[in-house]
Amino acid sequence: MALTTDSHIRTARPRSKPYKLPCGNSLSVWINPGGSKTFRYKYYVNRSNDDGELVRVEDSYTIGRYPEVSLKVARREAQRLRGLLDDGIDPKELKRQKKRENEQKALAPRFRNLVDDWLELSNDSDRHQEKVRRSLEMHALPILGDLRAEEIEYSDIEGALKRLTAQEKYDMAGRILSRIRSVLDMAQARGDIAQNIASNEFLRKSIAKGRPRVKHFKALDFDDVPNLLEALDEYQLRPMTLPQTALIIRFSVLTFVRPGEARYAEISEFNLRKKQWEIPAEKMKEGRPHIVPLSRQAIKIIREARDLEPSAGWLFPGSNPNQPLSENTVNKALNRMGFDKITHHGMRSLVSTELHERGYDHQHIEAQLSHKTGNKVAAAYNHAQYLLQRRKMMQDWADLVMPYG
């Protein structure tokens, strides 16, 4: 009997009962009473019976309807099915398995849902969480939001980052990459994905490639203070950066205190009603209590630091909330911003030099720097000396270096 051709199928008329036209190699087209024409592939496969014994059974696999599926395509599909059988794979069972996988995939959360779950696990303050959410909504969700974790590809993440690097927002790009990576780390831990594509090292390198080289300052003088403050704005946006680092450097510029006094500052020492910081004697180099008048800008920093993650009472805690920020962390931050010729302590010299040049009274400056003056008995009673004048000097200085703080 001659093989069926496309013309035979097209002109075949329905009968009262289904009948088939052989298309060769176990492929047939079935003509149904209603007029539909369906390609089926007949095959034999070993399956377990109710007793658990392997028996050879006959089955068929529906390929599709004619003319949506042409005879040429049906024969190609039949050849693929024969290949599966040769490899010991049951085509029908494979189809059921893929259906189950697709059903599971349809239930998998999209990236925007993963972001919600990730933020729920965060221990950050509500304020910080909202800031993180807004950054992802603006820079990541437009591209990744409707994708499921396993659907996200390298090019998707790269596309989100390129929008930022094209605007020279390299620090924000790094921060967004870090957050995408953290969200997908969670998805990987939950079993939603086998591999985190955002961990690809080339994504980080693609950001660094366009970043301009850091400008290094020979030494910090008053004219460089605006550069320092601008660098701090960018530094605090870098991935894995403690926000306390930028805050303590700003705070030190405003208060003139020694590094250890700033790092070991405790929230309980600040009297915001009186607008002053009352440092106990045991924390001071000279062994006597010291009052630091607080400018409007300094109070703003104190409140911002206080609203960050809870700590054991420190105003500027380190990565371990039970310990204050380390001196090394602050000096490394200055180095990474290009201010590698100045230490945290060096800011006191800058302030002293500038205030003297601007004509402020030497005694007022020395009192504010808590330098030793006179004998020990007199010093014990002088921790509040020139407090009125120092209040004005401190606010003048803050308005000078941070007029919009």
Side-chain angles (χ1 to χ4, degrees):
M1 183 177 179
L3 288 179
T4 302
T5 65
D6 189 80
S7 177
H8 292 149
I9 301 172
R10 187 171 63 252
T11 57
R13 296 287 181 260
R15 299 174 185 171
S16 58
K17 293 182 179 180
Y19 69 98
K20 66 179 180 180
L21 300 177
C23 301
N25 295 320
S26 301
L27 176 67
S28 301
V29 59
W30 283 80
I31 314 300
N32 300 302
S36 63
K37 303 168 184 180
T38 306
F39 288 108
R40 290 179 187 168
Y41 178 75
K42 185 177 72 172
Y43 64 97
Y44 294 89
V45 66
N46 293 327
R47 291 195 184 129
S48 298
N49 61 17
D50 294 339
D51 297 326
E53 300 173 340
L54 279 179
V55 294
R56 192 164 182 78
V57 297
E58 179 185 316
D59 206 342
S60 66
Y61 185 97
T62 300
I63 292 177
R65 285 192 173 188
Y66 179 90
E68 287 82 2
V69 176
S70 68
L71 177 58
K72 182 178 180 181
V73 170
R75 282 176 171 157
R76 190 184 305 134
E77 178 64 5
Q79 188 176 1
R80 185 187 72 84
L81 296 174
R82 279 195 297 276
L84 291 175
L85 289 165
D86 290 343
D87 292 335
I89 300 172
D90 184 342
K92 188 170 283 188
E93 181 55 35
L94 179 63
K95 185 177 182 179
R96 291 193 189 103
Q97 182 182 338
K98 286 186 176 180
K99 182 180 179 182
R100 288 193 296 268
E101 290 175 355
N102 289 335
E103 288 172 348
Q104 291 175 353
K105 182 178 177 181
L107 296 173
R110 300 182 186 276
F111 185 77
R112 66 176 70 256
N113 305 124
L114 292 173
V115 169
D116 293 336
D117 294 345
W118 175 67
L119 287 172
E120 284 184 10
L121 296 173
S122 172
N123 293 321
D124 293 334
S125 65
D126 291 345
R127 178 182 177 186
H128 184 67
Q129 286 189 44
E130 186 56 32
K131 183 178 180 181
V132 170
R133 181 186 295 279
R134 285 200 304 270
S135 71
L136 289 171
E137 286 175 348
M138 183 177 297
H139 303 300
L141 296 191
I143 292 179
L144 307 179
D146 292 329
L147 296 177
R148 295 179 175 85
E150 66 176 16
E151 296 173 335
I152 296 175
E153 298 181 353
Y154 180 97
S155 58
D156 298 318
I157 300 174
E158 185 182 40
L161 299 178
K162 279 185 175 180
R163 291 184 176 186
L164 289 165
T165 55
Q167 302 173 57
E168 299 185 354
K169 296 180 178 179
Y170 303 104
D171 290 309
M172 178 57 75
R175 205 169 189 83
I176 292 299
L177 174 59
S178 176
R179 289 166 182 169
I180 292 172
R181 184 167 56 239
S182 294
V183 172
L184 294 181
D185 276 343
M186 179 202 69
Q188 185 177 14
R190 297 193 324 191
D192 294 331
I193 51 174
Q195 184 179 4
N196 185 349
I197 190 66
S199 297
N200 190 301
E201 185 68 11
F202 286 99
L203 285 169
R204 185 188 62 79
K205 289 182 178 180
S206 70
I207 298 173
K209 183 179 179 181
R211 186 192 295 273
R213 293 186 177 274
V214 175
K215 178 183 178 183
H216 290 266
F217 297 86
K218 294 181 180 179
L220 187 71
D221 57 31
F222 180 75
D223 291 337
D224 290 322
V225 172
N227 295 324
L228 172 62
L229 299 178
E230 184 178 348
L232 284 171
D233 286 337
E234 295 182 359
Y235 182 79
Q236 65 186 4
L237 296 176
R238 295 185 184 182
M240 310 303 290
T241 299
L242 288 173
Q244 295 93 322
T245 307
L247 290 176
I248 197 173
I249 295 174
R250 292 178 182 278
F251 185 73
S252 298
V253 171
L254 293 172
T255 57
F256 323 163
V257 294
R258 297 177 180 89
E261 294 158 7
R263 293 190 300 106
Y264 284 91
E266 297 180 56
I267 295 173
S268 60
E269 297 167 358
F270 293 89
N271 189 330
L272 298 189
R273 183 179 60 82
K274 290 185 177 180
K275 298 182 180 180
Q276 61 190 39
W277 175 18
E278 299 163 359
I279 309 177
E282 60 268 22
K283 287 190 174 182
M284 297 300 299
K285 180 180 179 181
E286 301 299 336
R288 60 177 185 264
H290 182 51
I291 293 179
V292 180
L294 298 171
S295 63
R296 181 182 66 258
Q297 292 87 333
I299 290 174
K300 181 179 178 181
I301 290 174
I302 292 166
R303 286 176 172 152
E304 186 174 348
R306 196 176 56 186
D307 290 342
L308 292 174
E309 297 179 14
S311 69
W314 306 113
L315 183 63
F316 302 110
S319 54
N320 178 352
N322 295 318
Q323 298 292 331
L325 202 63
S326 73
E327 177 67 5
N328 193 40
T329 297
V330 178
N331 287 333
K332 275 187 175 180
L334 289 167
N335 183 278
R336 287 168 182 163
M337 288 184 287
F339 296 90
D340 50 353
K341 301 298 183 182
I342 185 170
T343 63
H344 189 185
H345 191 280
M347 295 180 191
R348 285 166 56 85
S349 298
L350 160 69
V351 173
S352 177
T353 300
E354 189 63 26
L355 288 177
H356 277 101
E357 288 184 358
R358 288 179 179 270
Y360 286 91
D361 189 283
H362 173 73
Q363 296 295 329
H364 302 167
I365 298 171
E366 290 297 289
Q368 189 53 57
L369 291 170
S370 187
H371 283 164
K372 186 175 180 180
T373 57
N375 59 55
K376 291 184 178 180
V377 176
Y381 292 95
N382 283 349
H383 67 283
Q385 191 178 28
Y386 310 123
L387 190 56
L388 184 63
Q389 295 92 331
R390 287 193 285 137
R391 285 191 189 282
K392 182 180 184 307
M393 181 179 69
M394 297 290 274
Q395 187 59 61
D396 287 349
W397 172 255
D399 290 339
L400 185 66
V401 295
M402 298 183 194
Y404 306 110

